[in-house]
Amino acid sequence: MSINSAMLAGVSGLVANSSALAAISDNIANVNTIAYKRNQVNFGDVVTAQSVQGLYSAGGVQGIPHAYISQQGLIQTAASPTDLAISGDGFFVATQKPTGLSPADAREFTRAGQFNVDASGFLVNDAGLYLQGWPAKSDGTFAIDPSDLSKLSSINVKNLGTAVQPTGNVGISANLDATETVSPSEATYTGAAGNSMADFAAGVAGGTQPDFTMDLNVVDSLGASHKIEIGFLKSSAAPNTWHAEIYAIPASDVDTAGPSGQIAIGDVAFNSDGSIDLADTTLFGAAGNPPVIDLAASGGAQPAWAANLGIAAQTVNLDLTNVTQQAEASTVNSVSNDGAGVGNIVGVQVDEHGVVSAIFDNSQIRKIAKVAIATFPDADGLKSVSGNAYQATLTAGPMVLKEPGNGGAGAIAPSSLEASTVDLSAEFTGLITTQRAYSASSKIITTADEMLQELIDMKR
């Protein structure tokens, strides 16, 4: 009968408003939870069939929970370099264990980016979820796959060993004095054993003293540093020309077929304006050869690193464009070198493209991994799980893995965190209206109860 339906409608109102209160309570409790997405219970009416003409049967109301997962929270600055936020669409991919992952292991998706480095070196957030990314290959690139979760692995920023950067490029800014007088020893100089500049550096009797030297430090494949010297002797054979030798100090660092430690020998030519003339320079072999120091691996074809060193072959490119011959004192202005000895990790950085890199105390930076961003056609359809995370559902649609900032995926905001989307003023207003609605629904029940009592009393 209609009175019973009215009472049941009141009961449905109590249930729906209880659900609304529960959602508001969760929101208020999580007002400071990183990347928390507010929930809301919307109301929908329930319509029942009207079987008797002229009578109305109440259907009541039902609560329809809705999670605003796709809503973007405010990005706030954080102190830690491993605190990450996503500015835009998408989620971090995370797992509940760092290693030994199989296709059966659940992958969870979260925007809670308060990642810290655990004792094993893995990036893990406060909920115990391990951040996943594409590992860096040896050439610094990444094997990006938009759908294969098995290509991802937990990002580890500690177990990297040490970093060594062998010298590959050296830039020299220097001047040779154009007014330098020709040394008396130049008349008998041949650069051969007994009168070479390399012999003089090695302390061999009869070696030729250079007019000027430039010192280079070369870092080898094991991180050790070696002194390589370029000696210059003014030539009398042609103007604007200097005899030159490249040799190691000590000479025992290299194996050569000629004088002790001598790596290369030839002439260096300059133009009439004082700039270097590499086209006519023979120090590096035939005239016009690029300025390169080539050393074979230890024990290899000479010149090579000494057999007892056990180091790899090395090619050092010399930038001599800033070497001049002017009428002023010979001097070395600067020497730049891209080599770095053994370094240990001292920090971690993440850029807006999601590239996680290790910083070493020898100023080297090594790429470790790239953070993967998962996107869904309907993010609000994801299933919420504990730890402020979500699991994929059919409602959410197919997942696609993207690079941060590409294909509609949000960019990474390093040293930042996403705030909760809860608005306290709106939630407290909802508390008031929900309480009033609950009270009103209870009045429906008491009123229907009184009417039923009147009906029962008619029998007396």
Side-chain angles (χ1 to χ4, degrees), residues 280-441:
D280 293 321
T281 293
T282 60
L283 176 60
F284 308 101
N289 278 0
V292 170
I293 299 175
D294 270 322
L295 286 168
S298 293
Q302 297 174 344
W305 289 115
N308 64 305
L309 296 178
I311 53 181
Q314 196 160 358
T315 297
V316 179
N317 300 301
L318 300 180
D319 181 0
L320 302 179
T321 55
N322 291 318
V323 175
T324 61
Q325 180 197 242
Q326 303 287 348
E328 59 181 356
S330 296
T331 184
V332 175
N333 300 315
S334 65
V335 177
S336 62
N337 190 325
D338 65 356
V342 178
N344 297 300
I345 186 170
V346 292
V348 177
Q349 68 179 20
V350 185
D351 66 19
E352 63 180 4
H353 303 295
V355 177
V356 182
S357 302
I359 304 172
F360 293 82
D361 57 10
N362 61 355
S363 301
Q364 295 299 299
I365 298 177
R366 181 189 298 177
K367 292 180 181 179
I368 302 172
K370 174 173 277 194
V371 176
I373 299 294
T375 62
F376 298 85
D378 181 14
D380 289 347
L382 292 170
K383 176 186 176 183
S384 297
V385 294
S386 295
N388 201 12
Y390 307 94
Q391 290 181 348
T393 64
L394 291 175
T395 304
M399 176 209 68
V400 178
L401 297 176
K402 299 177 181 177
E403 298 178 68
N406 289 342
I412 297 294
S415 297
S416 302
L417 290 172
E418 182 180 358
S420 169
T421 59
V422 174
D423 181 350
L424 277 180
S425 60
E427 299 304 326
F428 282 131
T429 301
L431 274 180
I432 296 171
T433 57
T434 300
Q435 182 184 14
R436 295 301 183 191
Y438 188 91
S439 178
S441 294

Side-chain angles (χ1 to χ4, degrees), residues 154-177:
S154 300
I155 299 176
N156 191 298
V157 299
K158 276 190 177 179
N159 299 328
L160 304 174
T162 56
V164 172
Q165 176 63 46
T167 299
N169 298 280
V170 172
I172 303 173
S173 174
N175 180 68
L176 298 179
D177 189 354

